[in-house]
Amino acid sequence: MADDDESIDVDDIEEEEEVEEEEVTDLSNSDVCTKYQEASKIVNLALTGLVSQCIPGAKIIDLCNFGTTVIDASAAKLYTKKVNGKEAIEKGVAFPVCISVNEIVCNHSPLVSEELPVLKTGDVVKIDLGCHIDGYISVAAHTLIVPQNAEDKVTESDDEMGNVAVAAYNAMLVAVSTIKSGGKNEDVTTAVERVAKHYGVSPISSVRMHQMKRFVIDGVKEVALHSPTPDELKEFGEEKVPACEFEQAEVYAIDVAMSTGDGRAKPGELRTTVFKRNVETNYRLKMKASRYVLSEVDKQFPTLPFTLRHFEDERQAKMGITECVAHALLTPYPSLHERLGAKVAHFKCTVLLLPSGTSRVTGLTLPDYFKSEKQPDEETARVLAEIAAKEAKKAAKKKKKRNKK
């Protein structure tokens, strides 16, 4: 009996040691918070730089490469300790830089061989990107209008563009305010739909907000921008998002895209270049090019989205990607298109659900040339007023600190 008791005690001790050694990967760990904050700073830096580069004559491929360089170079300066000659911490691009113009909603990151026309004055540009430090992901998206030239500023937009941009940005802010510990995803959807209705625009029904975890950009918990009716579920094959509740220490990508069209953006003629490895699926590929693609993905992009542009052999990559997708080894992120002539706005930010409340850590302010004569509903106006008051208080506190120095 004494031997049995002793063996039980040893097992208990081993279990306790395993529990103690388990890494805490949510916001209850201060180191994790720091990594999210550092990734967010890089995202905002890259986004700000890209906004300044969106001028007449700019090539989309050059903008994508510029943003990627800013993210990689900035991330390389952090956590530089090496183990056995290799960096101990992975870091860099978490979502490829995408530049989507006019009725293209998102996910456009072209290959060098398939460059689109350069940007011109008046083009509406949506920038989307992400950075991670040690797998802790931060993302953002922004919408702007290309100015007359590099020195001039845009002073106004047409009414339709103003309505859709103000609606999308306000919906993002309201969603940030609604996503808090104990809240439910359907409440966020209701708030976003309410904003869209009052501005006379449509949420892009296929866009989702997602929970993010370490090395996971599209988590299980989702928020829809639009709650489909039974007829829409049947006619358009839309899916109803399962109900979920938000919890403290979680991280979310607040992703809002809206248009003056019907909101049912679809893949267009542009080649899909952004993909993500489906880690739960395996298959013995037949084509040599396909095996090359999967081997490179498993080595370089085992969990996070990537673009075909990152492959050294573009021809092989284009040949091999089809079989990988056909057997569900890779998940495609197609470029989504609204109808020709529709006005589209896309804004995205990252939020941390901290004990002190929900903290928005990425995203730029709405360009002041986006204006709308339409007024938000009473509830939305109240939330926006509260947000403005908090921002003003924060700005005053920062100013006071600077003056003391």
Side-chain angles (χ1 to χ4, degrees):
M1 288 293 291
D3 287 344
D4 288 342
D5 288 343
E6 188 177 354
S7 67
I8 292 170
D9 290 339
V10 169
D11 288 344
D12 287 344
I13 290 168
E14 287 177 352
E15 284 179 12
E16 285 176 13
E17 286 177 350
E18 283 179 16
V19 170
E20 286 175 3
E21 290 174 6
E22 189 177 337
E23 188 177 3
V24 177
T25 59
D26 66 19
L27 294 173
S28 61
N29 182 339
S30 62
D31 289 341
V32 170
C33 282
T34 300
K35 287 169 183 174
Y36 274 118
Q37 295 282 1
E38 292 297 336
S40 298
K41 289 176 187 174
I42 294 171
V43 163
N44 289 334
L45 178 68
L47 205 53
T48 302
L50 279 165
V51 168
S52 69
Q53 299 292 314
C54 288
I55 57 175
K59 291 183 177 180
I60 293 174
I61 188 74
D62 291 344
L63 293 171
C64 291
N65 289 335
F66 172 84
T68 301
T69 300
V70 171
I71 293 170
D72 284 340
S74 301
K77 297 174 185 176
L78 304 173
Y79 299 95
T80 55
K81 183 180 176 182
K82 294 187 176 182
V83 177
N84 297 326
K86 293 183 177 181
E87 289 192 356
I89 286 180
E90 292 180 50
K91 54 200 186 251
V93 174
F95 189 83
V97 178
C98 293
I99 306 292
S100 305
V101 182
N102 297 331
E103 64 271 4
I104 304 172
V105 180
C106 57
N107 299 339
H108 180 55
S109 192
L111 299 176
V112 175
S113 60
E114 297 176 355
E115 174 64 25
L116 285 181
V118 297
L119 297 185
K120 62 182 186 300
T121 299
D123 278 343
V124 177
V125 177
K126 282 78 64 184
I127 306 168
D128 192 1
L129 53 84
C131 172
H132 79 96
I133 304 292
D134 198 20
Y136 298 105
I137 304 160
S138 188
V139 294
H142 190 69
T143 300
L144 61 95
I145 296 176
V146 177
Q148 194 78 29
N149 54 58
E151 288 73 37
D152 287 348
K153 288 185 178 180
V154 177
T155 56
E156 61 182 4
S157 67
D158 64 62
D159 291 344
E160 278 194 321
M161 191 63 229
N163 288 339
V164 75
V166 171
Y169 193 83
N170 284 350
M172 182 187 74
L173 295 181
V174 170
V176 170
S177 178
T178 311
I179 291 183
K180 51 192 171 187
S181 180
K184 292 181 169 54
N185 60 346
E186 57 258 39
D187 295 335
V188 182
T189 303
T190 300
V192 169
E193 288 184 308
R194 188 178 64 235
V195 175
K197 182 181 177 183
H198 275 77
Y199 284 94
V201 297
S202 304
I204 302 296
S205 58
S206 55
V207 172
R208 299 278 188 271
M209 303 181 198
H210 286 273
Q211 182 187 9
M212 297 189 293
K213 294 184 176 182
R214 191 182 188 194
F215 289 111
V216 179
I217 199 166
D218 297 331
V220 174
K221 292 186 180 181
E222 294 183 324
V223 180
L225 302 188
H226 168 66
S227 184
T229 64
D231 287 344
E232 288 171 332
L233 289 169
K234 187 177 179 181
E235 184 178 351
F236 302 109
E238 293 185 23
E239 296 180 3
K240 198 166 178 64
V241 171
C244 68
E245 187 173 301
F246 311 120
E247 298 175 52
Q248 191 174 299
E250 291 180 337
V251 179
Y252 285 87
I254 310 303
D255 196 352
V256 178
M258 293 188 177
S259 83
T260 56
D262 62 9
R264 294 189 183 89
K266 302 174 183 68
E269 294 178 359
L270 295 174
R271 180 190 297 277
T272 297
T273 62
V274 180
F275 301 87
K276 185 185 69 173
R277 177 73 164 98
N278 184 352
V279 294
E280 296 174 355
T281 304
N282 290 295
Y283 179 79
R284 193 174 182 83
L285 294 163
K286 294 174 176 61
M287 288 176 59
K288 183 180 177 181
S290 306
R291 294 195 295 272
Y292 158 74
V293 168
L294 192 63
S295 172
E296 288 299 302
V297 169
D298 286 341
K299 279 190 289 187
Q300 298 185 59
F301 319 105
T303 56
L304 295 173
F306 62 92
T307 171
L308 291 184
R309 198 173 57 255
H310 291 152
F311 287 79
E312 286 184 17
D313 191 334
E314 183 185 300
R315 182 173 167 275
Q316 281 270 83
K318 287 195 288 189
M319 284 173 58
I321 204 76
T322 305
E323 189 183 5
C324 292
V325 172
H327 294 288
L329 295 168
L330 300 177
T331 300
Y333 288 71
S335 296
L336 296 178
H337 296 235
E338 251 287 8
R339 63 168 171 77
L340 191 64
K343 303 296 173 67
V344 178
H346 184 201
F347 293 98
K348 186 194 297 184
C349 66
T350 301
V351 295
L352 314 180
L353 273 61
L354 302 169
S356 57
T358 301
S359 175
R360 177 164 64 101
V361 290
T362 65
L364 307 182
T365 56
L366 178 71
D368 56 13
Y369 49 78
F370 287 134
K371 295 181 176 67
S372 175
E373 292 184 1
K374 294 179 183 288
Q375 296 299 313
D377 62 278
E378 194 175 323
E379 177 61 18
T380 299
R382 182 188 64 77
V383 172
L384 293 175
E386 287 177 1
I387 293 169
K390 282 181 185 176
E391 291 295 326
K393 193 175 180 182
K394 197 186 291 183
K397 196 179 281 187
K398 280 184 180 178
K399 188 177 179 182
K400 194 174 181 181
K401 272 188 181 179
R402 283 199 303 269
N403 291 340
K404 277 185 179 180
K405 290 178 182 178

